[in-house]
Amino acid sequence: MALTDWLGAFRRAEAHDVSHDLDRGYEAALLIQSIELEHYNDRPVRPELELALPRAAQAQLLRRFRAALEICRQSLVTLEAHRGELIGQEQRQLQLIETVVSRYPVRRQPLPAISRSPEVLPRSLLGVVDQVRRQLDPEAEANMVAGFRRRRDSTLVSLRILLLLILVPVLVQQVSRTYLVSPLVDRFAPDHAFLSYPSPQLEERAVEKLRVYRAEIEFDYLLTGQPLPSREELHAKLASRAQELKEQADQESTHAIKNVFADLAGLFGFLFVCVVWRRDLQVLRGFLDELVYGLSDSAKAFAIILFTDIFVGFHSPEGWTVLLDGVANHLGLPARQNFIMLFIATFPVVLATVFKYWIFRYLNRVSPSSVATLRNMNGGG
């Protein structure tokens, strides 16, 4: 049993290393591609060229390029032994790393030419031949089993860290509010004014409840045919009810400070999970990338349209209004209509701009067919 646990832990650690190296190499390859596109007109980086940048900025850019290229080379050396275990999106990520590294050979040769020479055979045909060769390899079955185990371990780790990211902050927030924050605030609120600040909304609500209570008293007396109470009796009942409403308002005024302290405790719980299980978060990121980019082009376009219509579409103002009202009530803040309208007029616009920039710079290179499908689903816009 102990040997089985040790082997399982070793497989999980190896799977973490492979996923980590693949993610690092893929991010470095994307960084090199972005440098080529932005500063070298989508051509290989040539350090001897003078860019329209200050010397310090150009030197920093070249340092980033060399560091990213070194990461790509190290990742490629590490992943070469696990090539048979990679499938789907992982294979495409490895191919991108190989493509970037192949443009910058290690041996001393003249710098890359401005124009790339055409290849003798299409890269896709070479990929098919290489795939057939790997399938006929005697160790193909062992590599497939190892790849399945690595992906299974990555899936289990991703699901576990995802549950921890959701459950730990929620449990910490609820437990701390019930057993720690609420008793302390109720104990010290009468002596410290900052723990129970007055809220105009609570006062208006209490006055409205008192007005309704007076109308109910008069309605009950008229309904039963009894004479209306005298001014002294009505005043005594209203005074008693006003005292009850004041106590309720005082209790509700402390809910906001309780929510703030409990939310801070939940935030610390979330940060604790992120710090302690940092390696698992990297596995979760790779799992989500493979899950998202494994979708079909139509599914990607559908998800993008759904997300943009909810947060930056024509119907988003109603959703943002409800969300901001809920946050204001949770924190005990007045829901200012001017602030809400200003937020709706600026934040969704900024979010839409960032999202379009991401589609133009990243998604258009990683999955151009998804962008084309997105344009067709949007009516060609």
Side-chain angles (χ1 to χ4, degrees):
M1 184 65 180
L3 180 61
T4 304
D5 295 339
W6 182 82
L7 291 176
F10 178 76
R11 286 198 301 268
R12 287 192 293 271
E14 186 178 4
H16 289 182
D17 293 337
V18 174
S19 301
H20 178 63
D21 292 333
L22 183 61
D23 292 339
R24 291 179 69 249
Y26 183 64
E27 292 177 358
L30 290 178
L31 175 60
I32 293 176
Q33 281 194 340
S34 65
I35 294 176
E36 294 174 350
L37 178 64
E38 185 173 358
H39 300 283
Y40 294 90
N41 197 18
D42 201 16
R43 295 187 177 94
V45 175
R46 295 176 60 88
E48 77 279 3
L49 295 180
E50 292 292 336
L51 303 178
L53 295 173
R55 290 186 177 273
Q58 184 172 354
Q60 183 179 5
L61 181 69
L62 293 177
R63 285 195 296 269
R64 292 174 57 195
F65 161 73
R66 294 189 180 95
L69 183 59
E70 184 64 25
I71 292 175
C72 288
R73 288 170 178 168
Q74 294 176 359
S75 301
L76 189 60
V77 172
T78 305
L79 296 171
E80 192 65 32
H82 303 276
R83 179 184 294 271
E85 304 175 11
L86 307 178
I87 63 170
Q89 177 65 18
E90 296 175 341
Q91 284 285 352
R92 290 189 289 272
Q93 292 178 351
L94 181 59
Q95 291 175 2
L96 177 63
I97 298 174
E98 291 178 337
T99 302
V100 171
V101 173
S102 64
R103 293 203 294 267
Y104 305 97
V106 180
R107 58 183 181 275
R108 297 295 180 179
Q109 288 184 350
L111 295 172
I114 294 295
S115 60
R116 300 175 185 173
S117 58
E119 299 178 354
V120 179
L121 293 176
R123 186 175 297 273
S124 59
L125 180 60
L126 297 177
V128 172
V129 175
D130 186 65
Q131 183 178 1
V132 173
R133 181 187 60 80
R134 291 197 304 268
Q135 291 178 352
L136 297 179
D137 189 1
E139 298 181 356
E141 183 177 358
N143 292 333
M144 184 177 298
V145 173
F148 171 77
R149 289 175 177 173
R150 186 180 62 83
R151 287 187 296 274
R152 180 194 61 187
D153 295 337
S154 299
T155 303
L156 293 176
V157 171
S158 301
L159 294 178
R160 184 188 65 185
I161 189 62
L162 187 61
L163 290 176
L164 287 176
L165 288 174
I166 296 174
L167 294 180
V168 169
V170 173
L171 291 177
V172 170
Q173 197 264 354
Q174 293 295 327
V175 172
S176 62
R177 192 184 192 281
T178 304
Y179 298 102
L180 181 63
V181 176
S182 293
L184 291 177
V185 172
D186 293 337
R187 169 64 179 83
F188 294 103
D191 301 329
H192 298 81
F194 73 93
L195 293 178
S196 58
Y197 52 89
S199 176
Q201 294 180 344
L202 295 178
E203 296 177 359
E204 295 176 0
R205 194 182 309 168
V207 172
E208 182 63 25
K209 290 181 179 180
L210 187 61
R211 186 182 299 111
V212 172
Y213 178 72
R214 179 175 181 175
E216 290 177 352
I217 293 176
E218 296 177 354
F219 180 78
D220 291 338
Y221 275 89
L222 293 175
L223 187 63
T224 57
Q226 299 178 4
L228 294 177
S230 62
R231 183 180 297 272
E232 291 75 11
E233 294 177 354
L234 183 60
H235 179 74
K237 291 183 179 181
L238 292 179
S240 176
R241 180 59 177 170
Q243 184 64 30
E244 295 178 0
L245 293 176
K246 181 182 180 302
E247 294 176 358
Q248 294 179 5
D250 292 340
Q251 293 178 358
E252 292 180 2
S253 64
T254 60
H255 288 178
I257 198 67
K258 293 178 182 178
N259 293 334
V260 171
F261 286 127
D263 293 343
L264 289 177
L267 178 61
F268 285 134
F270 180 81
L271 295 177
F272 175 79
V273 174
C274 293
V275 172
V276 175
W277 287 279
R278 189 181 307 172
R279 295 286 301 273
D280 294 348
L281 287 177
Q282 297 174 356
V283 177
L284 176 62
R285 180 180 179 182
F287 174 78
L288 294 178
D289 289 341
E290 184 177 358
L291 182 65
V292 171
Y293 290 107
L295 298 175
S296 62
D297 298 335
S298 300
K300 292 177 185 176
F302 173 80
I304 292 173
I305 292 176
L306 180 62
F307 178 83
T308 53
D309 285 348
I310 290 176
F311 292 100
V312 297
F314 294 105
H315 304 287
S316 61
E318 291 80 3
W320 285 112
T321 302
V322 174
L323 179 61
L324 293 176
D325 286 339
V327 173
N329 293 329
H330 182 75
L331 300 178
L333 301 175
R336 303 289 185 182
Q337 292 299 323
N338 293 334
F339 172 78
I340 293 177
M341 298 303 296
L342 180 62
F343 182 89
I344 294 175
T346 55
F347 184 76
V349 177
V350 176
L351 187 62
T353 304
V354 173
F355 201 76
K356 291 178 180 178
Y357 182 78
W358 172 77
I359 292 177
F360 171 73
R361 290 299 305 272
Y362 184 76
L363 188 64
N364 199 27
R365 304 184 64 184
V366 175
S367 181
S369 56
S370 299
V371 179
T373 305
L374 178 63
R375 291 175 180 173
N376 293 331
M377 293 180 68
N378 274 329

